[in-house]
Amino acid sequence: IPKTRNGIVEAIRTLRVARSSAVKARTQTINQIRTLIITAPAATRERLRGLATGELIDALARSRPVGNLADPHCAVRITLRRLARRCQRLEEEIAEADADLGPLVTRAAPRLIALPGVGPESAGQLLTTTGDNPDRLRSEASFAHLCGAAPLPASSGRTNRHRLNRGGDRQANRALHTIVLVRMRHDQRTREYVARRTAEGMTKKDIMRC
């Protein structure tokens, strides 16, 4: 049964398009800044070395470079400031999208968002993958297959393990992976499960796949 596109989940999907592209553009901009710093003159490079990303962006955005544009030293400082300001604008756009998406996701799936480790972004992706008619998924297993999270046996001899499932919606799989990582760090019940499975001889990857 195909997904319907006539409800609040479709609205969430549409809003997430702009947020996703803004996040990608921000990452690209930060990478460009880091690359320029590597090839920048020594004085500029040493001044910015060791700064965390947030501190780096703020420092560059506040800078007031002056000089001859034909001078590479001046050109790189001006370019770094422009890229930093672009990054700040993208961060504002992402914050605006989050402010819109948070209440919508909570309204659409309050029980999902209340689960440990599930934030608005992960919940929004799972809702988008499922659609406005989640009843089309007949069982937990069908949802696991949809998200590429159904464990595929790969045992051999006395080794009992599962291999990575590369099928399904990869963005939904990434959302589940994020939820698992958060819960492994902050959720006591999950940490106890990991400890028990580790004592049984399972690796971290196999525990996550199970």
Side-chain angles (χ1 to χ4, degrees):
I1 301 174
K3 291 188 289 186
T4 58
R5 299 184 181 275
N6 57 359
I8 188 172
V9 173
E10 176 62 13
I12 291 171
R13 184 195 70 82
T14 304
L15 290 170
R16 291 186 73 254
V17 170
R19 185 191 186 281
S20 177
S21 62
V23 170
K24 291 180 180 178
R26 181 184 61 180
T27 301
Q28 181 185 42
T29 302
I30 293 173
N31 290 340
Q32 289 173 332
I33 290 173
R34 294 291 187 185
T35 301
L36 272 177
I37 290 175
I38 291 174
T39 59
T44 300
R45 187 170 62 251
E46 291 300 324
R47 181 171 57 88
L48 301 174
R49 184 191 300 273
L51 291 179
T53 300
E55 297 173 337
L56 176 64
I57 298 300
D58 291 340
L60 292 175
R62 291 195 306 266
S63 65
R64 296 291 184 271
V66 294
N68 184 359
L69 284 175
D71 180 6
H73 293 192
C74 177
V76 73
R77 291 195 297 268
I78 290 176
T79 301
L80 287 172
R81 181 186 64 174
R82 288 175 178 170
L83 289 173
R85 291 183 173 180
R86 178 189 299 174
C87 188
Q88 289 181 333
R89 290 192 297 270
L90 289 168
E91 288 174 351
E92 292 175 357
E93 184 178 337
I94 294 168
E96 290 175 357
D98 287 339
D100 292 335
L101 284 165
L104 283 180
V105 172
T106 302
R107 176 182 166 189
R111 293 174 60 190
L112 175 62
I113 202 71
L115 293 174
V118 182
E121 173 61 16
S122 297
Q125 178 58 60
L126 294 179
L127 288 172
T128 299
T129 300
T130 305
D132 280 298
N133 52 334
D135 53 294
R136 71 195 183 94
L137 302 175
R138 302 296 185 182
S139 65
E140 180 180 322
S142 63
F143 178 73
H145 279 284
L146 177 64
C147 297
L152 300 180
S155 301
S156 176
R158 296 183 179 180
T159 303
N160 184 19
R161 60 180 295 271
H162 296 78
R163 70 175 178 85
L164 181 66
N165 186 344
R166 300 189 182 278
D169 188 320
R170 302 316 301 165
Q171 294 303 314
N173 189 274
R174 181 173 64 88
L176 290 176
H177 182 79
T178 300
I179 293 170
V180 169
L181 290 177
V182 173
R183 292 182 65 136
M184 289 174 70
R185 178 173 298 181
H186 301 289
D187 181 60
Q188 183 59 33
R189 189 175 67 168
T190 304
R191 293 170 67 180
E192 292 173 356
Y193 173 83
V194 171
R196 177 168 58 85
R197 287 295 202 171
T198 302
E200 295 173 358
M202 296 181 66
T203 65
K204 180 179 177 180
K205 289 184 178 181
D206 283 333
I207 292 171
M208 295 177 69
R209 292 169 187 169
C210 288

